[in-house]
Amino acid sequence: MTRYSRQTRMLVAIDCIIFGFDGQDLKLLVIKRGFEPEKGKWSLMGGFVQPDEGFEEAASRILKVLTGLEGVYMEQLFAFGNPDRDPMERTISVAYFALIDINAYRQQLSEEYRAEWISLSKLPRLIFDHAEMVAQAQARLRYKAAIHPILFELLPQKFTIPQLQILYEAVYDTVFDKRNFSRKVLSTGLLVKQKDKERASSKRGAFYYKLDKRKYSAKFHAFLNFVADPGKLN
Amino acid sequence: MTRYSRQTRMLVAIDCIIFGFDGQDLKLLVIKRGFEPEKGKWSLMGGFVQPDEGFEEAASRILKVLTGLEGVYMEQLFAFGNPDRDPMERTISVAYFALIDINAYRQQLSEEYRAEWISLSKLPRLIFDHAEMVAQAQARLRYKAAIHPILFELLPQKFTIPQLQILYEAVYDTVFDKRNFSRKVLSTGLLVKQKDKERASSKRGAFYYKLDKRKYSAKFHAFLNFVADPGKLN
DNA sequence: CAGTTAATTGTATAATTGACATTTAATTGT
DNA sequence: ACAATTAAATGTCAATTATACAATTAACTG
């Protein structure tokens, strides 16, 4: 058994773009990098792919270490391979983006990494090509959320329609008509009205809704057109 | 300057899923592999990423070697990183899919690789995880072509509406209503009617159309809804 | 109990989609 | 010359969906 000689081997990293929603703004989970190069600078959470590890596996491991969470929504975003993206040594990075319920996040587990939720509008400079990764992830989020019901992954199990609308408005940085918005989301048949109300943010209170899990799984990949043409906004 | 020690370096390959359309069927350009392992078996065209080469660059290089073509439509599909996808040595692969006008393909340049166009419906067994790559590329093509005008990349500069319809029907393996189809594509404003006709395939002849390049560039990323919900077909 | 706030619900119009048939241009055979 | 044939091009109606816009209701506050 010969091996592929004369070919260059490279480091393979995973970087995670982790989105959260605090009820007002879209946020990103970033850390202060703990090792050289760029030690102490803001960075995405990442790590190297291990010898017997696939990409999904590696991404899940990294996400778990940082957030303590498993089974969260995650998808491969893009593989970044610019030869000089890491000044130290040729390193390619497979970026994953994840959507998590910010309330389920356990801060204590990640003290070690000095992780922080930062609003997308107030991001500091990030190392390497991480800003590009974030921009691309945000574009993908907008693209995908226009067609598929993925934003529910950012909300707790019980949520109100006004909360959902604030989320959509944060993602697209625009405002939607209340009446048309609720009609649209209700018409998907994905929501189940609860009997209790959320009472913190208004006098009248807004009814909670939950996802109909069966229909959600079934329609997750269907084309639902939540937003007509996200490219035309802004 | 220390390097990242204790981390495994891996081979990084590019594999190209190259689609073409012969007027009837969607085809894939595959080669007989010229080296071990799996020498002589059907394979996607690929190669290793070189030390000073980015992914796009590498993919373009590989595509050029096989087809002689430059400037063709290409996008990153997915990074495949299963630990045992290549039995010889840990190799990750960044897959690109490309759409080319099959008529512009220069066969002579690739004699060396024994390349062949094979209908998607008659694909032989492919090495490694290449079949999975093809399946994923086909899914992406269907997904994307439902929303964006990418299928024009498979046609020559001048084409007729019936030809375009046959292409869409091949991609979605279904039939569309002639009247509604032409109304839909013409309503995009992307097509410019020519004065001459294609006369080979009918007595009356069908008018040629060309893409309005300005509008095509402008609307390439817009949501145009060519196919309502590709998931619901089949 | 009046005033305030935000949730909920409704309606009319325009635009788009989907189903369906007829007319037209050009060739072929008589 | 003309009838037959073939596939292209075009038109209409009903149903659905999108958009713009306003009134009502529940629950708290003073």
Side-chain angles (χ1 to χ4, degrees):
Chain A
M1 271 272 170
T2 65
R3 301 193 351 147
Y4 305 104
S5 47
R6 297 171 197 288
Q7 295 297 340
T8 309
R9 275 93 185 147
M10 303 172 188
L11 284 167
V12 180
I14 299 284
D15 285 299
C16 295
I17 297 99
I18 306 168
F19 290 108
F21 178 63
D22 66 0
Q24 284 306 127
D25 296 311
L26 249 195
K27 304 211 157 186
L28 194 68
L29 191 55
V30 291
I31 63 167
K32 282 238 171 115
R33 187 167 159 105
F35 54 94
E36 294 295 347
E38 305 281 356
K39 184 174 177 178
K41 304 280 182 63
W42 289 106
S43 162
L44 293 171
M45 182 69 180
F48 292 107
V49 176
Q50 299 302 305
D52 288 311
E53 203 180 39
F55 294 157
E56 319 276 310
E57 238 176 306
S60 298
R61 169 175 58 80
I62 290 164
L63 201 67
K64 170 108 195 263
V65 168
L66 184 66
T67 66
L69 298 175
E70 292 179 273
V72 310
Y73 180 83
M74 205 171 65
E75 67 176 73
Q76 191 184 111
L77 175 66
F78 199 75
F80 292 80
N82 196 303
D84 49 10
R85 52 174 299 283
D86 186 324
M88 192 82 104
E89 178 182 347
R90 178 81 195 252
T91 306
I92 75 149
S93 172
V94 182
Y96 277 77
F97 90 89
L99 304 178
I100 77 176
D101 170 10
I102 208 168
N103 304 299
Y105 172 72
R106 302 132 212 258
Q107 210 162 354
Q108 70 283 5
L109 284 175
S110 65
E111 278 296 314
E112 184 184 349
Y113 294 102
R114 290 208 281 158
E116 279 185 36
W117 287 106
I118 302 190
S119 287
L120 277 174
S121 52
K122 295 171 188 165
L123 276 190
R125 165 186 290 279
L126 299 176
I127 66 164
F128 300 166
D129 51 0
H130 288 193
E132 190 190 339
M133 291 179 178
V134 172
Q136 206 166 316
Q138 200 177 352
R140 174 85 131 253
L141 181 65
R142 285 182 173 180
Y143 186 94
K144 212 150 178 191
I147 313 179
H148 305 290
I150 58 172
L151 295 187
F152 296 103
E153 302 291 338
L154 289 165
L155 293 173
Q157 284 209 327
K158 280 165 58 174
F159 54 86
T160 68
I161 298 207
Q163 286 170 353
L164 184 63
Q165 181 167 354
I166 292 170
L167 171 55
Y168 271 86
E169 293 181 338
V171 168
Y172 293 103
D173 191 26
T174 187
V175 290
F176 296 104
D177 181 87
K178 269 195 296 192
R179 297 155 287 192
N180 294 337
F181 181 84
S182 80
R183 183 149 37 97
K184 203 163 209 175
V185 298
L186 290 174
S187 76
T188 62
L190 258 37
L191 302 189
V192 183
K193 192 172 190 171
Q194 304 301 111
K195 287 182 179 163
D196 50 337
K197 285 184 167 184
E198 188 275 334
R199 302 189 166 281
S201 49
S202 80
K203 293 171 181 172
R204 181 172 173 179
F207 280 105
Y208 279 117
Y209 285 81
K210 279 188 182 177
L211 278 174
D212 181 323
K213 288 183 185 175
R214 293 218 177 283
K215 290 184 186 167
Y216 183 58
S217 306
K219 290 195 176 180
F220 191 79
H221 295 287
F223 280 42
L224 293 175
N225 278 76
F226 286 92
V227 180
D229 189 339
K232 288 204 172 173
L233 305 174
N234 295 355
Chain B
M1 272 273 168
T2 64
R3 304 196 347 150
Y4 305 103
S5 47
R6 297 171 197 288
Q7 295 298 339
T8 309
R9 276 95 185 145
M10 303 173 188
L11 284 167
V12 180
I14 299 283
D15 285 298
C16 295
I17 297 100
I18 305 167
F19 290 108
F21 177 64
D22 65 0
Q24 284 305 127
D25 296 311
L26 249 195
K27 303 210 157 185
L28 194 68
L29 191 56
V30 290
I31 63 168
K32 284 238 171 116
R33 188 167 159 105
F35 53 95
E36 293 297 345
E38 304 283 356
K39 184 172 176 176
K41 305 279 183 64
W42 289 107
S43 162
L44 293 171
M45 182 69 180
F48 292 107
V49 176
Q50 298 302 305
D52 288 311
E53 202 180 38
F55 294 157
E56 319 277 311
E57 239 177 307
S60 299
R61 168 175 59 79
I62 289 163
L63 201 67
K64 170 106 195 266
V65 167
L66 184 66
T67 66
L69 297 175
E70 292 180 272
V72 310
Y73 180 84
M74 204 172 65
E75 65 175 74
Q76 191 183 110
L77 175 66
F78 199 75
F80 292 80
N82 196 305
D84 49 11
R85 52 175 299 284
D86 186 324
M88 192 83 105
E89 177 182 346
R90 179 82 194 251
T91 305
I92 75 149
S93 172
V94 182
Y96 277 77
F97 90 88
L99 305 178
I100 77 177
D101 170 8
I102 208 167
N103 304 299
Y105 173 72
R106 301 132 213 257
Q107 210 161 355
Q108 70 282 5
L109 283 174
S110 65
E111 277 295 316
E112 183 184 349
Y113 294 100
R114 291 209 280 159
E116 278 185 36
W117 286 106
I118 303 190
S119 287
L120 277 173
S121 52
K122 294 170 189 165
L123 277 190
R125 166 186 289 277
L126 299 176
I127 64 164
F128 301 165
D129 51 1
H130 288 193
E132 190 190 339
M133 292 180 178
V134 171
Q136 206 167 315
Q138 200 177 353
R140 174 85 131 252
L141 181 65
R142 284 182 174 180
Y143 186 94
K144 212 151 177 192
I147 312 179
H148 306 290
I150 58 173
L151 294 187
F152 297 102
E153 302 290 338
L154 289 165
L155 293 173
Q157 283 210 328
K158 281 165 58 174
F159 54 87
T160 68
I161 298 207
Q163 285 170 353
L164 184 63
Q165 181 166 355
I166 292 169
L167 170 55
Y168 271 87
E169 293 181 340
V171 168
Y172 293 102
D173 192 24
T174 186
V175 290
F176 297 104
D177 181 87
K178 266 196 299 190
R179 297 154 288 192
N180 295 338
F181 181 83
S182 80
R183 179 156 42 108
K184 204 163 210 175
V185 298
L186 290 174
S187 76
T188 62
L190 260 37
L191 301 190
V192 182
K193 193 173 189 170
Q194 304 301 111
K195 287 181 178 161
D196 51 337
K197 286 183 167 184
E198 188 276 334
R199 303 190 164 281
S201 49
S202 80
K203 292 172 181 172
R204 181 171 172 180
F207 280 105
Y208 279 117
Y209 285 81
K210 280 187 182 177
L211 278 174
D212 180 323
K213 288 183 185 175
R214 293 217 176 285
K215 291 185 186 167
Y216 182 59
S217 306
K219 291 196 176 180
F220 191 80
H221 295 286
F223 280 43
L224 294 174
N225 278 78
F226 287 92
V227 180
D229 190 339
K232 289 203 170 173
L233 304 174
N234 295 355

